[in-house]
Structure formats: structure tokens, C-alpha cells
Amino acid sequence: MDSYLIQVNGHGDHAPMLDVHLKNTGSTISPGKVKGRKPRWAVRASEMSKKTFNPVRAIVDSMKVEPNPKKAMISLSLGDPTVFGNLPTNDEVTGAVKEVLDSGQYNGYAPSVGYQSCREAVAAYYHCPEAPLKAQDVILTSGCSQAIELALAVLANPGQNILVPRPGFSLYKTLALSMGIEVKLYNLLPEKAWEIDLEHLESLVDEKTACLIVNNPSNPCGSVFSKSHLQEILAVASRQCVPILADEIYGDMVFADCKYEPIATLSTNVPILSCGGLAKRWLVPGWRMGWILIHDRRDIFGNELRDGLVRLSQRILGPCTIVQGALERILHRTPPEFYHNTLSILKSNADLCYAALSAIPGLQPVRPAGAMYLMVGIEMEHFPEFENDVEFTERLISEQSVFCLPATCFEYPNFFRVVITVPEEMILEACSRIQEFCEMHYQGAEGAQDLECDK
């Protein structure tokens, strides 16, 4: 039997040191030699890294296509409102950050869940009688994507499943699969402005279902659920005792003829983790400031889930402290006309794009009600030379230098997504080129049949 003595020595101002004395009464331990093991290099990627898969990157990176050199590239693919400079954030927002930076008071580490005063600011901003919030109900995160990651990690174990919209934001699946969580896709209905197929949703629930993800307003659809539809979703969750992860990063980014309802304001018993952030409404996605709002009026989550979120947040030391320090001023002093002006531009672009694409034979756009996107159906039978939406969008790039994301990226083939944050003249030019492209390749029923026979 080997015996080991571990002694902690501290001397004066020096930190305690560990002295380890090994007394071996049996065999001799030689440096560099371990019985039964021949040293060799065997460094491999982790299983988690192998399970991590981003369908958008996988599809886009595999699109080996060059744009038409005679036409300037117009990218309608990236959900970043800052790309073209036509949607700057408000001076009050940037002023708040400059003030904090100059103060020198936010250069150190913050608590992993965020500064208490900043959590109080977020709670005060989103508090309402129907869904009350306190500082302890807020976890600050490095962007909304980390909020979603923490929420998934605290709600689901490997081997369980989550319910994810189709079409839906690809990050849900990317995160879940990396954690060993199964993804079950429930259908959204384009003919009903992308409402959830509630019957299909409920049919997917089983004893291993850990949570339901509800994305409203939607990426990639640009849809906004009505109050009555949200109540129907809550009824399913209540019947099945399934908590909701609400991705509400586009909250309040809805057009004037529509009303946004945070799902927690309609829930009396379903526990909800609502994920949001500054990225989209305040037009600063690179600032990486997000949050989780814990809505649990029946104490179903209890202390265990809250404690779990705190522990998970401690894996990194929270979001940027400079932006945290500016949060209260950003939330409470950004002028209402800033939000109004942003939405007016998005609504105008959405209307222009929808009208132009609706007039093109073979395309079926679905009118958006908010967020920054619209989805366009492709009547593939009228474009028989293309196998699918990926080929369609590849050729659109090579011939017209217009880049839209094929909706296969969102698990929804034969559609493509258009980002509506670009300047108006770009929207009009892009739609004109899409029209030219479709007119060149469109085949009526008879022509499509002839082409099919030739194959």
C-alpha cells in the first residue's frame, strides 16, 4: 500500500505552497514510465465538437458559386441590421456607453449573472402587472444566443428532447445536438401567416420532452402571433406540463398594424424562460448583451432551476461590463421616435419587397408582420431545371449577384429568406433582378412538363 503526505506550508507574505511527499513502500515510481502505457500522441476533437453542426454555415459554405462580375453584389442573407449603415443606433445609446467608458467604473469583473443594478434596470423595463419581475428574475448574458444556450442547458438533459419550430432559427438545433438533446420539429403554417400547427405540436410531446421553444416575432418568417394564438399555445403547454423557452429577441419589433404580446403576460401557470437582448431592437448585435427573464408565478421552476442558471452562468464571467453599465440609460432614455423610425423603414421595405415579389410568376411571398425578414415560396414545378431551393439561390447569385438564404437552412425546403434591413434602393434593385431571373427560368405547366420528359 502506498502512503502520501500532503503538507501546506505558508511563510510570511508568501502564498501557501503545497508540499507533496510520496512514501512508497512497494514499487518504485520512475518519471516518464507508467505501467501498461506507451506514451504516444492521441489528441482528438471532443464528442461535443463533433456533434456541433450549424446548418446555415454548412449550406452556405458549400455553395461554391461566384457572383456575376457585371453586377454589384446585393446580400439579403445576413440578419445584421448594421451592415449597410442605413440603420444606425440612437445617439442616446452610444452616449450611454461613452459615459460609462469615461467613468472608469466598469472595467472590472462583474458577478456572472450581471450587476445587481443592471438586473434591476432590466426587470423594471419589462415588469408589468400581468408578468411581474424583480432583479432576481433576470440573468444577464453574452447576447441572446448565450441566453438560449443557458436556458436549454438548465431545462434539458442529454437524451431528452425539445420542440423546435420549422421553419426556425438554426441555432436551436445547433446547441441542442451539441448537448446530446434530441430535436423534434413542429410545423408552422405559411397559409396561416406561419401560425403553429397545434395538433402536430401536441402530437410530438412525450415523457422525454423538456421544453417547447416559441419564437415570436419570428426569424426567419417575420410573423407575429396574435394574442389568441399565443393562448392556444399556452393551453397545449399547460395540458402537457411542458415549460416554454420564449425567444423574444425581436420583441416589440412589429409593424403598426400589429400588436406584440410577450407570452409571459398571458400565462397564469406555464413557467417561461424569456430570452431577449439589445441586438435587434437597439441595432447593436455586436455589443453582445442579452438576458433571461424568469417567469414562474406558480413556483414550478423553484430554487433548483434558478440555482442551476446561476451555476451555468459561472462558466464564463458574464457579458460586457461596459454595456451593463449603460443598460439603465439605454433602456429608459432611448427616445420612442427611434423605435418608430426603425419600424417605419422596415415596414416600408417589407411592403415594397412583398409587392414586387408577389407580382413575379412562380414566387409566393408570405407577408411579414414584424422582425427583419420575409419568406418566399418557390413553385419548384415551374423551375424544373433546379433540383431545390439551394440550387435556385446558387444560380440567383451567379446570374444576378443577389444572395438570399435558401430556407433549407431553416429546415423548410423550397422557400428562401429575404432580409429587409437593406437600403430601399437595394431592395428595389434586388427585386428587379429576382424578377429578371425568374422570367428567364420560369416554365409554365406545359413547358415544365416538356422539360421533365427531356430529362
Side-chain angles (χ1 to χ4, degrees), residues 127-159:
H127 170 88
C128 63
E130 301 81 12
L133 285 168
K134 297 180 180 178
Q136 60 262 35
D137 301 318
V138 178
I139 305 285
L140 299 183
T141 62
S142 182
C144 187
S145 56
Q146 197 209 6
I148 295 167
E149 179 187 28
L150 294 184
L152 279 178
V154 82
L155 289 171
N157 286 308

Coordinates of all heavy atoms in Angstrom, one line a residue, residues 127-159:
H127 N -41.1 44.8 -16.4 CA -42.1 44.5 -15.4 C -43.5 45.0 -15.9 O -43.6 46.1 -16.4 CB -41.8 45.1 -14.1 CG -42.9 45.1 -13.1 ND1 -43.0 44.1 -12.2 CD2 -43.9 46.0 -12.8 CE1 -44.1 44.3 -11.4 NE2 -44.6 45.4 -11.8
C128 N -44.5 44.2 -15.6 CA -45.9 44.6 -15.8 C -46.8 43.8 -14.9 O -46.4 42.7 -14.4 CB -46.4 44.5 -17.3 SG -46.4 42.8 -17.9
P129 N -48.0 44.3 -14.5 CA -48.8 43.6 -13.6 C -49.1 42.1 -14.0 O -49.2 41.2 -13.1 CB -50.1 44.4 -13.5 CG -49.7 45.8 -14.0 CD -48.6 45.6 -15.0
E130 N -49.2 41.9 -15.3 CA -49.5 40.5 -15.8 C -48.3 39.6 -15.7 O -48.5 38.4 -15.6 CB -50.0 40.6 -17.2 CG -51.2 41.4 -17.5 CD -50.9 42.9 -17.6 OE1 -49.7 43.2 -17.7 OE2 -51.9 43.7 -17.6
A131 N -47.1 40.2 -15.7 CA -45.9 39.4 -15.6 C -44.8 40.1 -14.8 O -43.9 40.7 -15.3 CB -45.4 39.1 -17.0
P132 N -45.0 40.1 -13.5 CA -44.1 40.9 -12.6 C -42.7 40.4 -12.6 O -42.5 39.2 -12.8 CB -44.7 40.8 -11.2 CG -45.6 39.6 -11.3 CD -46.1 39.5 -12.7
L133 N -41.7 41.3 -12.5 CA -40.3 40.9 -12.5 C -39.6 41.6 -11.4 O -39.8 42.8 -11.1 CB -39.7 41.2 -13.8 CG -40.0 40.3 -15.0 CD1 -39.5 40.9 -16.3 CD2 -39.4 38.9 -14.8
K134 N -38.6 40.9 -10.8 CA -37.6 41.5 -9.9 C -36.2 41.2 -10.4 O -36.1 40.4 -11.2 CB -37.8 41.0 -8.4 CG -39.2 41.3 -7.8 CD -39.3 40.7 -6.4 CE -40.7 41.0 -5.8 NZ -40.8 40.4 -4.5
A135 N -35.3 41.9 -9.7 CA -33.9 41.7 -10.2 C -33.5 40.2 -10.2 O -32.7 39.8 -11.1 CB -32.9 42.5 -9.3
Q136 N -33.9 39.5 -9.2 CA -33.5 38.1 -9.1 C -34.1 37.2 -10.2 O -33.7 36.0 -10.4 CB -33.8 37.5 -7.7 CG -35.3 37.5 -7.3 CD -35.7 38.7 -6.5 OE1 -35.1 39.7 -6.6 NE2 -36.6 38.4 -5.5
D137 N -35.1 37.8 -10.9 CA -35.7 37.1 -12.1 C -34.9 37.3 -13.4 O -35.4 36.9 -14.4 CB -37.1 37.5 -12.3 CG -38.0 37.3 -11.0 OD1 -37.8 36.2 -10.4 OD2 -38.8 38.1 -10.7
V138 N -33.8 38.0 -13.3 CA -33.1 38.4 -14.5 C -31.6 37.9 -14.4 O -30.9 38.0 -13.4 CB -33.0 40.0 -14.6 CG1 -32.1 40.4 -15.9 CG2 -34.4 40.6 -14.7
I139 N -31.2 37.2 -15.5 CA -29.8 36.7 -15.7 C -29.3 37.4 -16.9 O -29.9 37.3 -18.0 CB -29.8 35.2 -15.9 CG1 -30.5 34.4 -14.8 CG2 -28.3 34.8 -16.1 CD1 -29.7 34.3 -13.5
L140 N -28.3 38.2 -16.8 CA -27.7 38.9 -17.9 C -26.7 37.9 -18.6 O -26.0 37.2 -18.0 CB -26.9 40.2 -17.5 CG -27.8 41.2 -16.9 CD1 -27.0 42.5 -16.6 CD2 -29.0 41.6 -17.7
T141 N -26.7 38.0 -19.9 CA -25.9 37.0 -20.7 C -25.1 37.7 -21.9 O -25.4 38.9 -22.2 CB -26.8 35.9 -21.3 OG1 -27.7 36.6 -22.2 CG2 -27.6 35.2 -20.3
S142 N -24.2 37.0 -22.5 CA -23.4 37.5 -23.6 C -24.3 37.3 -24.9 O -24.1 36.4 -25.6 CB -22.1 36.8 -23.7 OG -21.3 37.3 -24.7
G143 N -25.2 38.2 -25.1 CA -26.1 38.1 -26.2 C -27.2 37.2 -26.0 O -27.2 36.4 -25.0
C144 N -28.2 37.3 -26.9 CA -29.4 36.4 -26.7 C -29.0 35.0 -27.0 O -29.7 34.0 -26.5 CB -30.5 36.9 -27.7 SG -32.1 36.0 -27.5
S145 N -28.0 34.7 -27.9 CA -27.6 33.3 -28.2 C -27.1 32.6 -26.9 O -27.4 31.4 -26.7 CB -26.6 33.3 -29.3 OG -25.4 34.1 -28.9
Q146 N -26.4 33.3 -26.0 CA -26.0 32.7 -24.8 C -27.2 32.5 -23.9 O -27.2 31.5 -23.1 CB -24.9 33.5 -24.1 CG -24.2 32.6 -23.0 CD -23.6 33.3 -21.8 OE1 -23.8 34.5 -21.7 NE2 -22.9 32.6 -21.0
A147 N -28.1 33.4 -23.9 CA -29.3 33.2 -23.1 C -30.0 31.9 -23.5 O -30.5 31.2 -22.6 CB -30.2 34.4 -23.3
I148 N -30.2 31.7 -24.8 CA -30.8 30.5 -25.3 C -30.0 29.3 -24.9 O -30.6 28.3 -24.4 CB -31.0 30.6 -26.8 CG1 -32.0 31.7 -27.2 CG2 -31.5 29.2 -27.4 CD1 -32.0 32.0 -28.7
E149 N -28.7 29.4 -25.0 CA -27.8 28.2 -24.6 C -28.0 27.9 -23.1 O -28.2 26.7 -22.8 CB -26.4 28.6 -24.9 CG -25.4 27.4 -24.5 CD -24.0 27.8 -24.6 OE1 -23.6 29.0 -24.5 OE2 -23.2 26.9 -24.8
L150 N -28.0 28.9 -22.2 CA -28.2 28.6 -20.8 C -29.5 28.1 -20.5 O -29.7 27.2 -19.7 CB -27.9 29.9 -20.0 CG -26.5 30.5 -20.0 CD1 -26.5 31.7 -19.1 CD2 -25.5 29.5 -19.6
A151 N -30.6 28.6 -21.2 CA -31.9 28.2 -20.9 C -32.1 26.7 -21.3 O -32.7 25.9 -20.6 CB -32.9 29.0 -21.7
L152 N -31.5 26.4 -22.5 CA -31.6 24.9 -22.9 C -30.8 24.1 -21.9 O -31.3 23.0 -21.6 CB -31.0 24.8 -24.3 CG -31.9 25.1 -25.5 CD1 -31.1 25.0 -26.8 CD2 -33.1 24.3 -25.5
A153 N -29.6 24.5 -21.5 CA -28.8 23.7 -20.7 C -29.4 23.5 -19.3 O -29.2 22.4 -18.7 CB -27.4 24.4 -20.5
V154 N -30.2 24.4 -18.8 CA -30.8 24.2 -17.5 C -32.1 23.4 -17.6 O -32.5 22.8 -16.6 CB -31.0 25.6 -16.8 CG1 -32.3 26.3 -17.3 CG2 -31.0 25.4 -15.3
L155 N -32.7 23.4 -18.7 CA -34.0 22.7 -18.8 C -33.9 21.3 -19.3 O -34.8 20.5 -19.0 CB -34.9 23.5 -19.8 CG -35.5 24.9 -19.4 CD1 -36.2 25.6 -20.6 CD2 -36.4 24.7 -18.2
A156 N -32.9 21.0 -20.1 CA -32.9 19.6 -20.7 C -31.6 18.9 -20.4 O -30.5 19.5 -20.4 CB -33.0 19.8 -22.3
N157 N -31.7 17.6 -20.3 CA -30.6 16.7 -20.1 C -30.3 15.9 -21.4 O -31.2 15.8 -22.3 CB -30.9 15.6 -19.0 CG -30.8 16.3 -17.6 OD1 -29.8 16.9 -17.3 ND2 -31.9 16.1 -16.9
P158 N -29.1 15.4 -21.6 CA -28.9 14.5 -22.8 C -29.9 13.4 -22.8 O -30.2 12.8 -21.7 CB -27.4 14.0 -22.5 CG -26.8 15.1 -21.7 CD -27.9 15.6 -20.8
G159 N -30.4 13.1 -24.0 CA -31.4 12.0 -24.1 C -32.8 12.5 -24.0 O -33.7 11.8 -24.5

